[in-house]
Amino acid sequence: GTPIAIITHAPSSICLGDTAILTAAYVNGQSYQWYLNGSPIGSATPDTVLKTTQGGTYLVAALNTCNNVTGAPSNTVNISLHSPPPTPTVTAQSVTTFCPGGSVVLQSSSGNSNTWSNSATTQTVSINQSGNYFVTISNSFSCTATSVSTSVTVLPASINAGHDTTLACGFNLQLNAVA
């Protein structure tokens, strides 16, 4: 018979942990039964949208008021499930707290597909501003993994030490107690 339900929108792949949204064309008054790999998913529903985190072969069938399939099942949609790349790590090549004018080079453990939180796309970035920096990498399926943040702190240019004493950043001062 002629399909009464048709899947009109579905991705061809998703990443592990993501949700795929499948949409069937709405037929007034119909209920639907969704299937994954030939097995029913849940029970009949009036919903034309299915959200799933699983890969496999999907189809939908329109049901009459007695919950019997009317017409042929829909077109099938195959959704592939892909794993994300390994989570990258960030290594600071020097101290991450420094005086104005200083910088630190941060390096991603991934040799390619890097996108840093400051929009750089190289394996290493030179940072000279305070902030939390992380890198996101992607694989050929557009699945992503993000590193933990690395905190960088640029100290104030000078510190008021009181009584007309100002210390420049990086200046060492020895204080001696007088009894």
Side-chain angles (χ1 to χ4, degrees):
T2 305
I4 293 181
I6 296 174
I7 299 175
T8 58
H9 176 76
S12 60
S13 68
I14 58 172
C15 300
L16 190 64
D18 288 350
T19 300
I21 299 174
L22 290 77
T23 305
Y26 177 73
V27 177
N28 192 23
Q30 295 288 325
S31 289
Y32 299 90
Q33 178 63 63
W34 290 91
Y35 295 85
L36 170 58
N37 299 326
S39 298
I41 303 170
S43 57
T45 176
D47 293 334
T48 59
V49 174
L50 175 69
K51 294 180 180 180
T52 183
T53 58
Q54 296 180 313
T57 302
Y58 290 84
L59 62 89
V60 64
L63 305 176
N64 62 22
T65 55
C66 297
N67 283 340
N68 294 319
V69 173
T70 58
S74 72
N75 52 315
T76 59
V77 173
N78 293 310
I79 299 177
S80 299
L81 185 63
H82 300 287
S83 296
T87 301
T89 57
V90 173
T91 303
Q93 296 186 353
S94 60
V95 296
T96 57
T97 300
F98 46 85
C99 295
S103 65
V104 61
V105 173
L106 302 179
Q107 181 173 350
S108 167
S109 59
S110 176
N112 52 30
S113 300
N114 292 289
T115 302
W116 290 87
S117 50
N118 66 353
S119 300
T121 57
T122 52
Q123 185 175 8
T124 60
V125 289
S126 181
I127 304 297
N128 62 8
Q129 295 181 5
S130 292
N132 292 315
Y133 296 88
F134 57 88
V135 66
T136 300
I137 62 171
S138 61
N139 62 20
S140 60
F141 304 109
S142 298
C143 299
T144 61
T146 301
S147 71
V148 296
S149 293
T150 298
S151 179
V152 174
T153 304
V154 179
L155 298 169
S158 61
I159 299 171
N160 183 345
H163 296 297
D164 299 328
T165 303
T166 302
L167 300 175
C169 184
F171 184 81
N172 293 324
L173 175 67
Q174 180 177 350
L175 300 174
N176 296 315
V178 178

